[in-house]
Amino acid sequence: MLKRLRNLFASEPAPYAGPKDKIPLGELFKRNWFELWYQPKIELKTMRLAGAEALVRARHPVRGVVAPFFFLPEASEDDLHKLTEEVILTALGDWELFNKYGAAIKLAVNVPVSAFVKLPIPQMLREARPRADNWPGLVLEVTEDQIINDLALANDVAAALREQNCTLALDDFGAGYSSLARLRQLPFSELKIDRSYVMNCNSDPLNAGLCETIVDLSKRFGLTTVAEGIETMHESHKLQSLGVQVGQGYLYAKPMPKGHLARLIHQRLTMFAPAAAPAKSRRLRFARD
Ligand code: G
Ligand code: MN
């Protein structure tokens, strides 16, 4: 059952056997290859759709859908900022589509910390944000290693974002080894546990301990804990028992084009059947608010 469901959601880039050269980011825009895909975030307690993370993809005419590894690492700062602007504006527009299909979900975008210095992000949000009353705001994810050395900037940015109903999430948490002293000052709404700690957390006592510690910390600061890269039911159950509120990973759904997600929302598809009770499948309902 799960395997079938997973195949249903297998919308990741198709394998391509030809040369895998890097694609200049400028090319993406010039040729209109840029696409924004979405990976669902699931509330673990209810198995309802809690939100989605927007992830950049390139639709190459020969290679098919290409992941960021092939165009992000060598991109210039200017191009990265242009990409960030595009991502934010596209996600704001796409939200209207998901809302139309009945899910006013919170979308998250990835933002390089340098973009907060170079781009007028709060102003962009003010001008381009959906006007609907039920818009829940946008989450801007910044990686721990980039933000942790500039908490003054983080605080300024968080304050400006708050005025637009938007918040910061701390991405890849754990990978940057922030000191506890610094964590006290974090102006974030969400903490995303790095995939490397989520992996095998059900059987690896060290990872389980790290996840537990992060959940405790997150709770103390009143943050939502999100686990990234969940691939098995065992990991999912373990994380839920540790108090992780939201999960994201191939187990539930791979990143998919906005139309796919809109369709899933519209169809109210069952995405999840608990492994512990295979005879009685739980139905995933998509949150309307
Ligand atoms: O760090 P960040 O959350 O931005 O990374 C998201 C990336 O991780 C995306 O490119 C996505 O395709 C990938 N990803 C998402 N879920 C999983 C998963 O369960 N397993 C693995 N290996 N990769 C994942
Ligand atoms: Mn992210």
Side-chain angles (χ1 to χ4, degrees), residues 12-13 39 53-57 67-68 110 141 143 171-172 192 194-195 199 228-231 235 248-251 253-255:
E12 277 285 87
Q39 184 173 37
E53 176 176 0
L55 297 158
V56 176
R57 296 290 185 265
N110 293 283
E141 298 189 5
T143 58
D171 207 358
D172 302 341
K192 298 189 81 175
D194 192 61
R195 184 158 67 229
M199 197 184 294
E228 296 186 291
I230 303 176
E231 294 188 353
E235 291 165 354
Q248 192 182 328
Y250 291 171
L251 172 68
K254 290 188 169 181

PDB file of all heavy atoms in Angstrom, residues 12-13 39 53-57 67-68 110 141 143 171-172 192 194-195 199 228-231 235 248-251 253-255, ligand 1:
ATOM      1  N   GLU A  12       9.659  13.300  -8.490  1.00  0.00           N
ATOM      2  CA  GLU A  12      11.011  13.844  -8.514  1.00  0.00           C
ATOM      3  C   GLU A  12      11.561  13.755  -9.948  1.00  0.00           C
ATOM      4  O   GLU A  12      11.034  13.035 -10.786  1.00  0.00           O
ATOM      5  CB  GLU A  12      11.924  13.037  -7.588  1.00  0.00           C
ATOM      6  CG  GLU A  12      11.830  13.443  -6.150  1.00  0.00           C
ATOM      7  CD  GLU A  12      12.540  14.762  -5.870  1.00  0.00           C
ATOM      8  OE1 GLU A  12      11.922  15.814  -6.019  1.00  0.00           O
ATOM      9  OE2 GLU A  12      13.713  14.739  -5.512  1.00  0.00           O
ATOM     10  N   PRO A  13      12.661  14.488 -10.227  1.00  0.00           N
ATOM     11  CA  PRO A  13      13.255  14.449 -11.552  1.00  0.00           C
ATOM     12  C   PRO A  13      13.489  13.021 -12.062  1.00  0.00           C
ATOM     13  O   PRO A  13      13.957  12.172 -11.326  1.00  0.00           O
ATOM     14  CB  PRO A  13      14.593  15.151 -11.327  1.00  0.00           C
ATOM     15  CG  PRO A  13      14.362  16.045 -10.162  1.00  0.00           C
ATOM     16  CD  PRO A  13      13.307  15.392  -9.318  1.00  0.00           C
ATOM     17  N   GLN A  39       7.030  20.620  -1.522  1.00  0.00           N
ATOM     18  CA  GLN A  39       7.017  19.373  -0.751  1.00  0.00           C
ATOM     19  C   GLN A  39       6.111  19.558   0.467  1.00  0.00           C
ATOM     20  O   GLN A  39       6.358  20.443   1.299  1.00  0.00           O
ATOM     21  CB  GLN A  39       8.419  18.994  -0.287  1.00  0.00           C
ATOM     22  CG  GLN A  39       8.412  17.640   0.438  1.00  0.00           C
ATOM     23  CD  GLN A  39       9.790  17.128   0.788  1.00  0.00           C
ATOM     24  OE1 GLN A  39      10.665  17.907   1.144  1.00  0.00           O
ATOM     25  NE2 GLN A  39       9.980  15.824   0.682  1.00  0.00           N
ATOM     26  N   GLU A  53       6.976  23.248   1.611  1.00  0.00           N
ATOM     27  CA  GLU A  53       8.214  23.986   1.358  1.00  0.00           C
ATOM     28  C   GLU A  53       8.402  24.114  -0.145  1.00  0.00           C
ATOM     29  O   GLU A  53       8.314  23.130  -0.879  1.00  0.00           O
ATOM     30  CB  GLU A  53       9.418  23.262   1.973  1.00  0.00           C
ATOM     31  CG  GLU A  53      10.732  23.971   1.631  1.00  0.00           C
ATOM     32  CD  GLU A  53      11.956  23.355   2.288  1.00  0.00           C
ATOM     33  OE1 GLU A  53      11.828  22.360   3.022  1.00  0.00           O
ATOM     34  OE2 GLU A  53      13.068  23.885   2.056  1.00  0.00           O
ATOM     35  N   ALA A  54       8.634  25.334  -0.591  1.00  0.00           N
ATOM     36  CA  ALA A  54       8.871  25.587  -2.014  1.00  0.00           C
ATOM     37  C   ALA A  54      10.334  25.273  -2.339  1.00  0.00           C
ATOM     38  O   ALA A  54      11.234  25.710  -1.627  1.00  0.00           O
ATOM     39  CB  ALA A  54       8.562  27.046  -2.334  1.00  0.00           C
ATOM     40  N   LEU A  55      10.544  24.514  -3.400  1.00  0.00           N
ATOM     41  CA  LEU A  55      11.898  24.116  -3.794  1.00  0.00           C
ATOM     42  C   LEU A  55      12.091  24.384  -5.285  1.00  0.00           C
ATOM     43  O   LEU A  55      11.226  24.059  -6.106  1.00  0.00           O
ATOM     44  CB  LEU A  55      12.106  22.630  -3.486  1.00  0.00           C
ATOM     45  CG  LEU A  55      12.009  22.276  -1.983  1.00  0.00           C
ATOM     46  CD1 LEU A  55      11.696  20.805  -1.785  1.00  0.00           C
ATOM     47  CD2 LEU A  55      13.293  22.654  -1.256  1.00  0.00           C
ATOM     48  N   VAL A  56      13.223  24.973  -5.619  1.00  0.00           N
ATOM     49  CA  VAL A  56      13.474  25.370  -7.002  1.00  0.00           C
ATOM     50  C   VAL A  56      13.841  24.172  -7.868  1.00  0.00           C
ATOM     51  O   VAL A  56      14.588  23.294  -7.441  1.00  0.00           O
ATOM     52  CB  VAL A  56      14.620  26.406  -7.043  1.00  0.00           C
ATOM     53  CG1 VAL A  56      14.965  26.773  -8.472  1.00  0.00           C
ATOM     54  CG2 VAL A  56      14.256  27.634  -6.245  1.00  0.00           C
ATOM     55  N   ARG A  57      13.330  24.152  -9.068  1.00  0.00           N
ATOM     56  CA  ARG A  57      13.695  23.141 -10.053  1.00  0.00           C
ATOM     57  C   ARG A  57      13.874  23.828 -11.399  1.00  0.00           C
ATOM     58  O   ARG A  57      13.312  24.902 -11.641  1.00  0.00           O
ATOM     59  CB  ARG A  57      12.588  22.077 -10.191  1.00  0.00           C
ATOM     60  CG  ARG A  57      12.325  21.247  -8.930  1.00  0.00           C
ATOM     61  CD  ARG A  57      13.491  20.308  -8.645  1.00  0.00           C
ATOM     62  NE  ARG A  57      13.254  19.415  -7.513  1.00  0.00           N
ATOM     63  CZ  ARG A  57      13.656  19.664  -6.275  1.00  0.00           C
ATOM     64  NH1 ARG A  57      14.283  20.791  -5.991  1.00  0.00           N
ATOM     65  NH2 ARG A  57      13.440  18.795  -5.307  1.00  0.00           N
ATOM     66  N   ALA A  67      17.535  19.181 -10.481  1.00  0.00           N
ATOM     67  CA  ALA A  67      17.583  19.638  -9.085  1.00  0.00           C
ATOM     68  C   ALA A  67      18.603  20.770  -8.908  1.00  0.00           C
ATOM     69  O   ALA A  67      19.508  20.934  -9.732  1.00  0.00           O
ATOM     70  CB  ALA A  67      17.938  18.461  -8.189  1.00  0.00           C
ATOM     71  N   PRO A  68      18.484  21.531  -7.823  1.00  0.00           N
ATOM     72  CA  PRO A  68      19.330  22.715  -7.606  1.00  0.00           C
ATOM     73  C   PRO A  68      20.830  22.438  -7.589  1.00  0.00           C
ATOM     74  O   PRO A  68      21.615  23.326  -7.871  1.00  0.00           O
ATOM     75  CB  PRO A  68      18.893  23.216  -6.219  1.00  0.00           C
ATOM     76  CG  PRO A  68      17.551  22.669  -6.013  1.00  0.00           C
ATOM     77  CD  PRO A  68      17.459  21.396  -6.777  1.00  0.00           C
ATOM     78  N   ASN A 110      13.111  29.093   0.781  1.00  0.00           N
ATOM     79  CA  ASN A 110      14.496  29.129   1.263  1.00  0.00           C
ATOM     80  C   ASN A 110      15.144  30.439   0.845  1.00  0.00           C
ATOM     81  O   ASN A 110      15.087  30.808  -0.327  1.00  0.00           O
ATOM     82  CB  ASN A 110      15.283  27.948   0.683  1.00  0.00           C
ATOM     83  CG  ASN A 110      14.770  26.630   1.225  1.00  0.00           C
ATOM     84  OD1 ASN A 110      15.069  26.263   2.349  1.00  0.00           O
ATOM     85  ND2 ASN A 110      13.954  25.938   0.437  1.00  0.00           N
ATOM     86  N   GLU A 141      12.907  30.356   5.289  1.00  0.00           N
ATOM     87  CA  GLU A 141      13.871  29.449   5.920  1.00  0.00           C
ATOM     88  C   GLU A 141      15.293  29.929   5.677  1.00  0.00           C
ATOM     89  O   GLU A 141      15.682  30.197   4.538  1.00  0.00           O
ATOM     90  CB  GLU A 141      13.728  28.037   5.341  1.00  0.00           C
ATOM     91  CG  GLU A 141      12.376  27.413   5.596  1.00  0.00           C
ATOM     92  CD  GLU A 141      12.330  25.933   5.215  1.00  0.00           C
ATOM     93  OE1 GLU A 141      13.375  25.367   4.835  1.00  0.00           O
ATOM     94  OE2 GLU A 141      11.231  25.359   5.304  1.00  0.00           O
ATOM     95  N   THR A 143      19.420  28.948   6.736  1.00  0.00           N
ATOM     96  CA  THR A 143      20.173  27.838   7.320  1.00  0.00           C
ATOM     97  C   THR A 143      20.924  28.321   8.556  1.00  0.00           C
ATOM     98  O   THR A 143      21.369  29.457   8.647  1.00  0.00           O
ATOM     99  CB  THR A 143      21.174  27.209   6.322  1.00  0.00           C
ATOM    100  OG1 THR A 143      22.059  28.228   5.874  1.00  0.00           O
ATOM    101  CG2 THR A 143      20.460  26.597   5.142  1.00  0.00           C
ATOM    102  N   ASP A 171      16.676  26.446   9.303  1.00  0.00           N
ATOM    103  CA  ASP A 171      16.768  25.248   8.456  1.00  0.00           C
ATOM    104  C   ASP A 171      18.023  24.441   8.788  1.00  0.00           C
ATOM    105  O   ASP A 171      18.996  24.995   9.302  1.00  0.00           O
ATOM    106  CB  ASP A 171      16.832  25.711   6.993  1.00  0.00           C
ATOM    107  CG  ASP A 171      16.292  24.670   6.031  1.00  0.00           C
ATOM    108  OD1 ASP A 171      15.904  23.582   6.476  1.00  0.00           O
ATOM    109  OD2 ASP A 171      16.263  24.958   4.823  1.00  0.00           O
ATOM    110  N   ASP A 172      17.989  23.153   8.468  1.00  0.00           N
ATOM    111  CA  ASP A 172      19.148  22.267   8.660  1.00  0.00           C
ATOM    112  C   ASP A 172      19.685  22.363  10.076  1.00  0.00           C
ATOM    113  O   ASP A 172      20.904  22.365  10.284  1.00  0.00           O
ATOM    114  CB  ASP A 172      20.272  22.609   7.664  1.00  0.00           C
ATOM    115  CG  ASP A 172      19.813  22.515   6.222  1.00  0.00           C
ATOM    116  OD1 ASP A 172      18.785  21.855   5.967  1.00  0.00           O
ATOM    117  OD2 ASP A 172      20.469  23.105   5.348  1.00  0.00           O
ATOM    118  N   LYS A 192      13.886  23.419  12.071  1.00  0.00           N
ATOM    119  CA  LYS A 192      13.839  22.238  11.206  1.00  0.00           C
ATOM    120  C   LYS A 192      15.044  21.344  11.470  1.00  0.00           C
ATOM    121  O   LYS A 192      16.182  21.726  11.195  1.00  0.00           O
ATOM    122  CB  LYS A 192      13.805  22.659   9.735  1.00  0.00           C
ATOM    123  CG  LYS A 192      12.558  23.478   9.389  1.00  0.00           C
ATOM    124  CD  LYS A 192      12.421  23.690   7.900  1.00  0.00           C
ATOM    125  CE  LYS A 192      11.812  22.492   7.206  1.00  0.00           C
ATOM    126  NZ  LYS A 192      11.583  22.756   5.762  1.00  0.00           N
ATOM    127  N   ASP A 194      17.822  18.834  11.001  1.00  0.00           N
ATOM    128  CA  ASP A 194      18.569  18.400   9.823  1.00  0.00           C
ATOM    129  C   ASP A 194      18.326  16.911   9.532  1.00  0.00           C
ATOM    130  O   ASP A 194      18.232  16.093  10.439  1.00  0.00           O
ATOM    131  CB  ASP A 194      20.064  18.645  10.052  1.00  0.00           C
ATOM    132  CG  ASP A 194      20.860  18.481   8.778  1.00  0.00           C
ATOM    133  OD1 ASP A 194      20.591  19.239   7.831  1.00  0.00           O
ATOM    134  OD2 ASP A 194      21.720  17.583   8.707  1.00  0.00           O
ATOM    135  N   ARG A 195      18.259  16.633   8.241  1.00  0.00           N
ATOM    136  CA  ARG A 195      17.987  15.266   7.778  1.00  0.00           C
ATOM    137  C   ARG A 195      18.979  14.240   8.353  1.00  0.00           C
ATOM    138  O   ARG A 195      18.627  13.099   8.608  1.00  0.00           O
ATOM    139  CB  ARG A 195      18.037  15.266   6.246  1.00  0.00           C
ATOM    140  CG  ARG A 195      17.691  13.978   5.606  1.00  0.00           C
ATOM    141  CD  ARG A 195      17.236  14.182   4.183  1.00  0.00           C
ATOM    142  NE  ARG A 195      18.295  14.658   3.302  1.00  0.00           N
ATOM    143  CZ  ARG A 195      18.166  15.681   2.489  1.00  0.00           C
ATOM    144  NH1 ARG A 195      17.049  16.342   2.435  1.00  0.00           N
ATOM    145  NH2 ARG A 195      19.166  16.046   1.711  1.00  0.00           N
ATOM    146  N   MET A 199      17.626  10.624  10.076  1.00  0.00           N
ATOM    147  CA  MET A 199      17.931   9.328   9.477  1.00  0.00           C
ATOM    148  C   MET A 199      18.129   8.253  10.550  1.00  0.00           C
ATOM    149  O   MET A 199      18.956   8.418  11.456  1.00  0.00           O
ATOM    150  CB  MET A 199      19.216   9.486   8.650  1.00  0.00           C
ATOM    151  CG  MET A 199      19.458   8.383   7.658  1.00  0.00           C
ATOM    152  SD  MET A 199      21.059   8.621   6.849  1.00  0.00           S
ATOM    153  CE  MET A 199      20.763  10.117   5.945  1.00  0.00           C
ATOM    154  N   GLU A 228      12.966  17.013   8.950  1.00  0.00           N
ATOM    155  CA  GLU A 228      13.131  16.934   7.490  1.00  0.00           C
ATOM    156  C   GLU A 228      13.630  15.559   7.082  1.00  0.00           C
ATOM    157  O   GLU A 228      14.350  14.904   7.844  1.00  0.00           O
ATOM    158  CB  GLU A 228      14.212  17.914   7.033  1.00  0.00           C
ATOM    159  CG  GLU A 228      13.924  19.345   7.259  1.00  0.00           C
ATOM    160  CD  GLU A 228      15.012  20.199   6.614  1.00  0.00           C
ATOM    161  OE1 GLU A 228      16.155  20.197   7.090  1.00  0.00           O
ATOM    162  OE2 GLU A 228      14.694  20.844   5.614  1.00  0.00           O
ATOM    163  N   GLY A 229      13.301  15.156   5.878  1.00  0.00           N
ATOM    164  CA  GLY A 229      13.904  13.947   5.304  1.00  0.00           C
ATOM    165  C   GLY A 229      13.420  12.653   5.934  1.00  0.00           C
ATOM    166  O   GLY A 229      14.168  11.686   6.026  1.00  0.00           O
ATOM    167  N   ILE A 230      12.161  12.620   6.383  1.00  0.00           N
ATOM    168  CA  ILE A 230      11.610  11.380   6.947  1.00  0.00           C
ATOM    169  C   ILE A 230      11.342  10.400   5.795  1.00  0.00           C
ATOM    170  O   ILE A 230      10.644  10.741   4.846  1.00  0.00           O
ATOM    171  CB  ILE A 230      10.302  11.648   7.730  1.00  0.00           C
ATOM    172  CG1 ILE A 230      10.563  12.670   8.834  1.00  0.00           C
ATOM    173  CG2 ILE A 230       9.732  10.348   8.293  1.00  0.00           C
ATOM    174  CD1 ILE A 230       9.310  13.084   9.603  1.00  0.00           C
ATOM    175  N   GLU A 231      11.937   9.220   5.900  1.00  0.00           N
ATOM    176  CA  GLU A 231      11.791   8.263   4.798  1.00  0.00           C
ATOM    177  C   GLU A 231      11.073   6.987   5.219  1.00  0.00           C
ATOM    178  O   GLU A 231      10.653   6.211   4.365  1.00  0.00           O
ATOM    179  CB  GLU A 231      13.171   7.945   4.192  1.00  0.00           C
ATOM    180  CG  GLU A 231      13.790   9.164   3.520  1.00  0.00           C
ATOM    181  CD  GLU A 231      15.059   8.853   2.742  1.00  0.00           C
ATOM    182  OE1 GLU A 231      15.557   7.718   2.825  1.00  0.00           O
ATOM    183  OE2 GLU A 231      15.549   9.765   2.065  1.00  0.00           O
ATOM    184  N   GLU A 235      10.809   5.978  11.476  1.00  0.00           N
ATOM    185  CA  GLU A 235      11.315   7.313  11.831  1.00  0.00           C
ATOM    186  C   GLU A 235      10.153   8.225  12.200  1.00  0.00           C
ATOM    187  O   GLU A 235      10.203   8.961  13.189  1.00  0.00           O
ATOM    188  CB  GLU A 235      12.094   7.922  10.647  1.00  0.00           C
ATOM    189  CG  GLU A 235      13.407   7.230  10.349  1.00  0.00           C
ATOM    190  CD  GLU A 235      13.967   7.605   8.967  1.00  0.00           C
ATOM    191  OE1 GLU A 235      13.267   8.313   8.197  1.00  0.00           O
ATOM    192  OE2 GLU A 235      15.089   7.167   8.657  1.00  0.00           O
ATOM    193  N   GLN A 248       8.372  16.172   7.261  1.00  0.00           N
ATOM    194  CA  GLN A 248       8.515  16.416   5.830  1.00  0.00           C
ATOM    195  C   GLN A 248       9.461  15.340   5.322  1.00  0.00           C
ATOM    196  O   GLN A 248      10.444  15.022   5.980  1.00  0.00           O
ATOM    197  CB  GLN A 248       9.143  17.808   5.678  1.00  0.00           C
ATOM    198  CG  GLN A 248       9.135  18.395   4.300  1.00  0.00           C
ATOM    199  CD  GLN A 248       9.834  19.762   4.281  1.00  0.00           C
ATOM    200  OE1 GLN A 248       9.791  20.495   5.254  1.00  0.00           O
ATOM    201  NE2 GLN A 248      10.484  20.076   3.186  1.00  0.00           N
ATOM    202  N   GLY A 249       9.151  14.738   4.185  1.00  0.00           N
ATOM    203  CA  GLY A 249      10.069  13.729   3.670  1.00  0.00           C
ATOM    204  C   GLY A 249       9.406  12.827   2.645  1.00  0.00           C
ATOM    205  O   GLY A 249       8.188  12.871   2.454  1.00  0.00           O
ATOM    206  N   TYR A 250      10.246  12.013   2.015  1.00  0.00           N
ATOM    207  CA  TYR A 250       9.768  11.162   0.940  1.00  0.00           C
ATOM    208  C   TYR A 250       8.685  10.193   1.408  1.00  0.00           C
ATOM    209  O   TYR A 250       7.884   9.730   0.616  1.00  0.00           O
ATOM    210  CB  TYR A 250      10.938  10.370   0.338  1.00  0.00           C
ATOM    211  CG  TYR A 250      11.929  11.216  -0.424  1.00  0.00           C
ATOM    212  CD1 TYR A 250      13.132  10.672  -0.877  1.00  0.00           C
ATOM    213  CD2 TYR A 250      11.676  12.556  -0.708  1.00  0.00           C
ATOM    214  CE1 TYR A 250      14.046  11.436  -1.586  1.00  0.00           C
ATOM    215  CE2 TYR A 250      12.582  13.330  -1.402  1.00  0.00           C
ATOM    216  CZ  TYR A 250      13.770  12.763  -1.842  1.00  0.00           C
ATOM    217  OH  TYR A 250      14.676  13.516  -2.537  1.00  0.00           O
ATOM    218  N   LEU A 251       8.674   9.854   2.696  1.00  0.00           N
ATOM    219  CA  LEU A 251       7.637   8.943   3.201  1.00  0.00           C
ATOM    220  C   LEU A 251       6.241   9.479   2.887  1.00  0.00           C
ATOM    221  O   LEU A 251       5.359   8.731   2.479  1.00  0.00           O
ATOM    222  CB  LEU A 251       7.775   8.774   4.715  1.00  0.00           C
ATOM    223  CG  LEU A 251       6.632   7.988   5.378  1.00  0.00           C
ATOM    224  CD1 LEU A 251       6.663   6.518   4.950  1.00  0.00           C
ATOM    225  CD2 LEU A 251       6.693   8.100   6.888  1.00  0.00           C
ATOM    226  N   ALA A 253       5.523  12.540   0.947  1.00  0.00           N
ATOM    227  CA  ALA A 253       5.432  13.049  -0.419  1.00  0.00           C
ATOM    228  C   ALA A 253       6.758  13.657  -0.840  1.00  0.00           C
ATOM    229  O   ALA A 253       7.442  14.292  -0.036  1.00  0.00           O
ATOM    230  CB  ALA A 253       4.341  14.111  -0.507  1.00  0.00           C
ATOM    231  N   LYS A 254       7.094  13.455  -2.092  1.00  0.00           N
ATOM    232  CA  LYS A 254       8.271  14.111  -2.667  1.00  0.00           C
ATOM    233  C   LYS A 254       7.871  15.501  -3.141  1.00  0.00           C
ATOM    234  O   LYS A 254       6.673  15.785  -3.283  1.00  0.00           O
ATOM    235  CB  LYS A 254       8.785  13.282  -3.831  1.00  0.00           C
ATOM    236  CG  LYS A 254       9.411  11.975  -3.388  1.00  0.00           C
ATOM    237  CD  LYS A 254      10.079  11.258  -4.542  1.00  0.00           C
ATOM    238  CE  LYS A 254      10.908  10.105  -4.003  1.00  0.00           C
ATOM    239  NZ  LYS A 254      11.596   9.378  -5.068  1.00  0.00           N
ATOM    240  N   PRO A 255       8.855  16.351  -3.406  1.00  0.00           N
ATOM    241  CA  PRO A 255       8.504  17.643  -3.993  1.00  0.00           C
ATOM    242  C   PRO A 255       7.746  17.412  -5.301  1.00  0.00           C
ATOM    243  O   PRO A 255       8.032  16.460  -6.025  1.00  0.00           O
ATOM    244  CB  PRO A 255       9.867  18.299  -4.259  1.00  0.00           C
ATOM    245  CG  PRO A 255      10.794  17.637  -3.296  1.00  0.00           C
ATOM    246  CD  PRO A 255      10.307  16.216  -3.188  1.00  0.00           C
TER     247      PRO A 255
HETATM  248  O1    G B   1      17.547  21.646   3.373  1.00  0.00           O
HETATM  249  P1    G B   1      16.289  21.723   2.568  1.00  0.00           P
HETATM  250  O2    G B   1      15.058  21.475   3.370  1.00  0.00           O
HETATM  251  O3    G B   1      16.153  23.019   1.808  1.00  0.00           O
HETATM  252  O4    G B   1      16.414  20.535   1.504  1.00  0.00           O
HETATM  253  C1    G B   1      15.370  20.115   0.750  1.00  0.00           C
HETATM  254  C2    G B   1      15.874  19.078  -0.262  1.00  0.00           C
HETATM  255  O5    G B   1      15.868  17.782   0.323  1.00  0.00           O
HETATM  256  C3    G B   1      15.018  19.031  -1.510  1.00  0.00           C
HETATM  257  O6    G B   1      15.808  19.159  -2.654  1.00  0.00           O
HETATM  258  C4    G B   1      14.332  17.686  -1.453  1.00  0.00           C
HETATM  259  O7    G B   1      14.192  17.107  -2.730  1.00  0.00           O
HETATM  260  C5    G B   1      15.227  16.846  -0.538  1.00  0.00           C
HETATM  261  N1    G B   1      14.443  15.940   0.277  1.00  0.00           N
HETATM  262  C6    G B   1      13.230  16.175   0.802  1.00  0.00           C
HETATM  263  N2    G B   1      12.772  15.110   1.502  1.00  0.00           N
HETATM  264  C7    G B   1      13.731  14.176   1.441  1.00  0.00           C
HETATM  265  C8    G B   1      13.841  12.848   1.976  1.00  0.00           C
HETATM  266  O8    G B   1      12.962  12.312   2.651  1.00  0.00           O
HETATM  267  N3    G B   1      15.003  12.187   1.711  1.00  0.00           N
HETATM  268  C9    G B   1      16.011  12.727   0.985  1.00  0.00           C
HETATM  269  N4    G B   1      17.117  11.995   0.781  1.00  0.00           N
HETATM  270  N5    G B   1      15.937  13.963   0.449  1.00  0.00           N
HETATM  271  C10   G B   1      14.810  14.705   0.675  1.00  0.00           C
END
